[in-house]
Amino acid sequence: EPARLEDLALLGGPPLFDRMLYVGRPSMAPDAEVHARIQSALDRRWLTNDGPLVQELERRCGERLQVPHCIAVNNATLGLEVALRALGVQGEVLLPAFTFIGTAHAVQWLGLTPVFGDVCDADHGLDPAEVERRITPATGAILAVHLWGRACAVEALEAIARRHGIPLILDAAHAMGCGHAGRPLGSRGTVEVFSLHATKGLNALEGGLITTGDAALAERIRLMRNFGIPGEDQVRCVGTNAKMNEFSAAVGLANLDHFDDLCVHNQQLHAAYGAALAEAPGLRLMQPEPGQAFSHHYIVLELLPTATLHRDQLVSLLRAENVYARRYFRPGCHQAEPYRSRPGGPPVLPVTERLGQTLLQLPSGLQITPEEAHRLGRRLAWCLRHGDAVATRLPRMA
Ligand code: T4K
């Protein structure tokens, strides 16, 4: 515990950690296991185009997610694009503004029109009441996000989509290892799309998975992933190149062998942060949905109105301590280009705008031990307990 303000690294003390801790630092299987799988691809001289490692990854992830069809792609953004295209979505797509910009860009890139709604305070997912308010005959699909791996309001959103006869696409980029209603996420809505990006809990360097129970849709997705080519000398429809390569699948498979252990480690980190922050005034640590599987990959803090420091002041304090905390997601998509410059200007979305000002994410994964997480939590708690004094020594925040 710092005894004096000057013990904080930003005010001249030594940093809490002797190396930088990052949000998004990849957790990797032992090098030898990664190398062995990559070597197997080299030995086969089969490097991409639906290779054996990609097929193995699809099979194992499909089993794990308890979903009949699991199709690997080269990233989740293209995965969303291929899913939207394979569903023949036209016109407007209703989605939350509080998400990674890639969710919105996938829609815009296809020449569809993203229509932004606000999110629920409780789970940071698309608010069904907002969907009801904004849905029109021009709405071609609903695209909701399981943010931080917590299920969005899937039951309500499925009901709205069914009533309007439109598909529900779920951005499950964060949701590997996470469940809802006693099952893994991945089989809700019409189709779900996971990310296997390096910063994700299960990583394949770059990659994604599209999951669905609809066999005909799965077949269209497989075709579109590979230029619309079903086999030699045939082209059945328009397609793109959304194929995962064998090196990515090799990394994904090696990491999959250790993924359950990683989730346990992350749960221990979450508990250590939670214990240290229990007494911190004005701050809430995001909790999983009770009783459901959770990866704890995202450690998300929310600064409450009673907090003595602004979120950005905490981020500066942490950077000096060698903790690269992040401020996902700001600005909200509605306030990012090209959307903010659309005629009529961006809608006012109070929850999205507040969360963009008050959330921060802390490091997780193998780079940090539970003991270190506890130390970091205690430093944060100390700063908040002495927030009034700390604030007088920091540059003024807007
Ligand atoms: N939907 C949602 C809800 C998403 O969050 C995402 C992606 C997508 C869709 C699209 O999925 P993909 O098409 O990417 O499969 C990062 C990721 O690039 C992005 O995948 C992710 N969401 C997003 C939340 O985070 P940036 O712009 O924040 O990345 P960057 O370069 O600032 O890196 C993040 C942190 O990770 C840094 O602090 C450093 C650390 N890092 C990163 C990489 C790549 C490492 O330590 N090592 C690394 O190799 O977007």
Side-chain angles (χ1 to χ4, degrees):
E1 293 262 343
R4 311 162 305 147
L5 289 179
E6 290 71 25
D7 294 334
L8 298 176
L10 193 62
L11 301 179
L16 192 55
F17 299 103
D18 58 8
R19 64 190 190 284
M20 190 62 93
L21 297 170
Y22 294 92
V23 172
R25 193 72 163 174
S27 292
M28 294 292 291
D31 287 357
E33 296 177 28
V34 175
H35 293 166
R37 280 204 161 84
I38 288 179
Q39 189 64 50
S40 81
L42 286 172
D43 293 345
R44 272 190 295 275
R45 285 293 190 274
W46 195 278
L47 301 179
T48 183
N49 289 15
D50 207 20
L53 295 178
V54 164
Q55 290 183 20
E56 186 184 344
L57 185 70
E58 290 179 338
R59 184 178 49 70
R60 284 182 57 190
C61 288
E63 278 167 18
R64 179 181 181 104
L65 298 170
Q66 298 174 30
V67 60
H69 307 283
C70 178
I71 302 139
V73 286
N74 50 2
N75 60 65
T77 306
L78 264 161
L80 288 170
E81 289 173 27
V82 168
L84 285 159
R85 186 103 194 203
L87 283 162
V89 173
Q90 305 261 330
E92 298 180 353
V93 176
L94 261 169
L95 77 162
F98 194 64
T99 179
F100 185 58
I101 195 66
T103 315
H105 282 351
V107 173
Q108 177 83 6
W109 194 258
L110 291 178
L112 305 170
T113 305
V115 173
F116 298 108
D118 212 347
V119 294
C120 301
D121 207 22
D123 57 25
H124 301 174
L126 182 60
D127 183 349
E130 283 278 283
V131 176
E132 300 276 22
R133 256 195 293 284
R134 295 174 196 277
I135 203 163
T136 74
T139 309
I142 301 169
L143 169 51
V145 184
H146 303 306
L147 210 69
W148 324 124
R150 283 197 309 191
C152 61
V154 275
E155 288 81 5
L157 294 170
E158 281 169 347
I160 298 171
R162 211 175 306 120
R163 193 152 22 86
H164 289 267
I166 56 176
L168 171 63
I169 297 137
L170 292 161
D171 177 337
H174 299 179
M176 185 58 78
C178 301
H180 177 66
R183 282 173 59 88
L185 289 169
S187 54
R188 302 308 297 250
T190 314
V191 61
E192 303 214 38
V193 181
F194 292 82
S195 173
L196 304 181
H197 183 260
T199 55
K200 297 294 184 281
L202 176 63
N203 97 72
L205 310 180
E206 291 271 1
L209 298 169
I210 308 178
T211 58
T212 181
D214 180 334
L217 175 64
E219 197 191 326
R220 278 199 303 283
I221 289 169
R222 282 193 184 280
L223 272 175
M224 287 185 163
R225 173 181 75 164
N226 182 34
F227 308 104
I229 297 177
E232 219 172 299
D233 304 332
Q234 294 173 357
V235 183
R236 200 170 290 160
C237 60
V238 69
T240 186
N241 183 355
K243 289 170 279 134
M244 178 183 277
N245 70 71
E246 289 287 277
F247 282 16
S248 274
V251 173
L253 283 165
N255 287 337
L256 187 57
D257 288 341
H258 297 271
F259 183 63
D260 290 319
D261 292 342
L262 177 62
C263 292
V264 170
H265 177 80
N266 283 336
Q267 195 196 344
Q268 290 166 353
L269 294 178
H270 185 268
Y273 280 124
L277 291 168
E279 307 290 301
L283 185 144
R284 186 190 297 149
L285 171 64
M286 189 198 76
Q287 301 296 328
E289 193 183 334
Q292 303 302 324
F294 201 60
S295 69
H296 291 282
H297 180 66
Y298 294 92
I299 306 285
V300 182
L301 298 182
E302 181 175 358
L303 272 291
L304 305 174
T306 51
T308 48
L309 292 169
H310 188 272
R311 188 269 317 267
D312 296 341
Q313 292 175 313
L314 279 183
V315 168
S316 306
L317 285 161
L318 288 173
R319 292 265 162 105
E321 307 290 355
N322 280 340
V323 178
Y324 210 103
R326 291 295 297 250
R327 291 173 280 196
Y328 293 120
F329 290 98
R330 59 144 212 184
C333 297
H334 64 309
Q335 287 174 338
E337 295 296 356
Y339 314 108
R340 64 172 299 138
S341 297
R342 295 191 297 195
V348 176
L349 302 173
V351 183
T352 294
E353 282 149 34
R354 177 169 54 75
L355 295 177
Q357 293 288 318
T358 55
L359 294 193
L360 77 156
Q361 292 80 34
L362 297 179
S364 69
L366 298 181
Q367 64 176 330
I368 179 171
T369 66
E371 189 274 324
E372 289 172 323
H374 193 260
R375 242 187 317 138
L376 169 48
R378 284 172 64 105
R379 174 72 42 120
L380 265 175
W382 191 93
C383 288
L384 284 164
R385 276 202 308 279
H386 299 84
D388 292 333
V390 174
T392 61
R393 304 284 299 272
L394 298 180
R396 280 186 65 79
M397 292 282 151

